[in-house]
């Protein structure tokens, strides 16, 4: 099953040095989930050939402009391009007011339904469950209400061992039971344990998106052991004071978080406009957690 | 005196084919006026090295997203980059509500003052007068309230004829009177006509910005004889029906308007996403008004 994330924007606060404000698109089993939508996201989608029509969920972490100012433009383009199917928007509640106001003054009535799911920072909540994935919010510690998002692949059904099924001539009617882990009893009453007839499916993969936040252990347990952790690393560690004041994380801290939560791999992003190049941020994080990469725009990271 | 316009975006409705939504920057005597501010305008400003700190006036024609969705991001970047000097925002009144709402939910208090001048479509109104320019609104005919903008250079003072001034040994105290067109009387009572002592300054230049609108003669008199007319030409003329329904102009009509108003030169823009290339739009307009050019992004047009 496809499970990969493509970076559309990695800049914090302002676009600069050809870096755009935050946005990523997660492909889970060929369904696209857009995470944050900074200004220019729709232009980035055109650049990297991401079809808006394939997105059915948009998740907005918080209401700082660099995380959502591209949203109304994207919704408007979806509308003008004839979208009819509903879109799920997972976001802080006031975003509805902002969107409604802008649509009202532009005299636009979207030709598709926006189904809102409002996030809360009180506690983690499951916001989406479908055949592919379970999505939870991750309450973060930022200047304004902000949640990250945790994506866990749904556990797949067990796989039938074809030779065994044929050998015992098991009827198709039993397949569903077997895939769910049930045993098989033949017409003579003989019981075959499920493990003899099926094999377990792959272990579900997981992706945690944590931006924007300061270092705070409250969410560590929730993200522990994920396959890929995206964590903001706005500053180098010599700017720790600034990171604390602005409720952001340093690259060293991002490495520490990855290490403490025992994740498989770390991706850092949300880079301050003060850094023309990003190597130092990478080296700092890698000094604590070697398996770190930079969230470079246009790059796709397969989650495995 | 510098008087030139640089195109930052020329797409209508949605960004496509590397064309961004509408924005232009007008340089009048080295002061910058930003006209409309579609999504991605600040990225375009970085691309074409337009310094936001040099902009003191932003003019928004109307509240369709392709004309203003880049504004809150630009204001936010000005704020984060330390702007302290006030900014004049000339726009439909509801834009203040939209901006205030977004700043409120992002917990942002701008460190500079926004001085609003609200536009009206009732009649043309002078919205700015300074040493360089007089700016008037142009009420247009669009689906929602929309005004264009007319920029007329201020008439410069007359220039002294240095040799004559020296020959007659005229005191510096008289210079201001002479520059304003007054005559000179010497100590013997002899009168020298102003025309003998000064020459007229250059004829003031003018720029009219008309987007978005359908063909409507109501604004023709106001824009007549301008040096450069920017006029939207969203569609080819075979889409006239669509142009009427959506309150837009065809390329043929833009040429007709330029011809009827006797302007010096026509610049067409606001191209529909249906046109991958723009040559046909240019040829259509030129078939009526030969002195037409395309508003290509990054291109600067000197108004002369």
């Amino acid at each position: 099953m496809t499970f990969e994330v493509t970076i559309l924007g990695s800049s914090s606060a302002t676009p600069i040095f050809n870096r755009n404000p935050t946005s990523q698109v997660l492909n889970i089993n060929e369904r696209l989930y857009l995470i944050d939508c900074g200004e220019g996201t729709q232009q980035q989608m055109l650049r990297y050939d991401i079809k808006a029509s394939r997105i059915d969920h948009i998740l907005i972490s918080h209401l700082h402009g660099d995380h959502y100012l591209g949203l109304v433009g994207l919704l408007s383009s979806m509308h003008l391009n004839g979208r009819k199917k509903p879109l799920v928007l997972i976001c802080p509640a006031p975003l509805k007011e902002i969107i409604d106001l802008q649509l009202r003054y532009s005299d636009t009535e979207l030709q598709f339904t926006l189904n809102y799911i409002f996030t809360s920072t009180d506690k983690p909540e499951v916001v989406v469950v479908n055949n592919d994935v379970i999505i939870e919010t991750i309450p973060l510690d930022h200047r304004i209400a902000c949640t990250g998002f945790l994506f866990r692949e749904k556990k797949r059904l067990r796989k039938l061992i074809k030779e065994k099924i044929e050998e015992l001539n098991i009827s198709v009617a039993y397949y569903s039971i077997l895939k769910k882990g049930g045993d098989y009893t033949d017409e003579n009453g003989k019981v075959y344990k499920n493990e003899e007839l099926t094999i377990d499916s792959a272990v579900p993969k997981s992706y945690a998106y944590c931006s924007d936040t300061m270092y705070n252990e409250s969410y560590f347990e929730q993200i522990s052991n994920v396959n890929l952790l995206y964590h903001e690393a706005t500053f180098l560690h010599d700017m720790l004071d600034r990171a604390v004041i602005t409720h952001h994380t340093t690259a060293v801290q991002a490495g520490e978080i990855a290490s403490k939560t025992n994740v498989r791999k770390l991706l850092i992003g949300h880079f301050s406009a003060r850094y023309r190049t990003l190597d130092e941020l990478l080296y700092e994080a890698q000094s604590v957690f070697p398996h770190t990469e930079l969230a470079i725009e246009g790059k796709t990271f397969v989650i495995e």
Side-chain angles (χ1 to χ4, degrees), chain A residues 191-246:
Chain A
V191 176
Y192 294 83
K193 284 286 186 191
N194 187 278
E195 294 77 46
E196 298 176 55
L197 308 173
T198 71
I199 51 171
D200 204 357
S201 57
V203 176
K205 288 168 281 190
S206 51
Y207 176 59
Y209 171 85
C210 295
S211 185
D212 297 5
T213 187
M214 67 190 292
Y215 183 101
N216 184 325
E217 301 198 349
S218 63
Y219 57 90
F220 287 11
E221 191 186 331
Q222 197 187 358
I223 64 174
S224 65
N225 300 308
V226 296
N227 295 75
L228 179 62
L229 167 64
Y230 169 87
H231 203 286
E232 72 131 292
T234 306
F235 298 109
L236 286 170
H237 205 63
D238 62 359
M239 299 285 293
L240 178 60
D241 289 353
R242 181 100 189 123
V244 170
I245 290 167
T246 57

Side-chain angles (χ1 to χ4, degrees), chain A residues 10-65:
Chain A
S10 64
S11 188
S12 75
T14 62
I16 197 162
F17 308 133
N18 282 321
R19 298 197 299 259
N20 285 273
T22 299
S23 185
Q24 330 188 330
V25 64
L26 188 63
N27 180 334
I28 305 180
N29 201 20
E30 301 308 322
R31 297 169 77 161
L32 303 187
Y33 300 77
L34 188 71
I35 310 171
D36 281 338
C37 186
E39 179 180 357
T41 293
Q42 58 174 330
Q43 283 99 322
Q44 290 288 83
M45 287 169 57
L46 289 170
R47 183 166 299 136
Y48 298 118
D49 201 23
I50 307 289
K51 301 270 178 286
S53 57
R54 288 180 58 203
I55 295 172
D56 291 328
H57 298 79
I58 299 179
L59 304 100
I60 302 294
S61 62
H62 68 301
L63 296 186
H64 281 150

Side-chain angles (χ1 to χ4, degrees), chain A residues 157 160 172-182:
Chain A
L157 295 173
L160 304 179
V172 173
Y174 282 93
Y175 287 5
S176 171
I177 295 165
L178 291 173
K179 285 179 180 175
K180 287 175 185 160

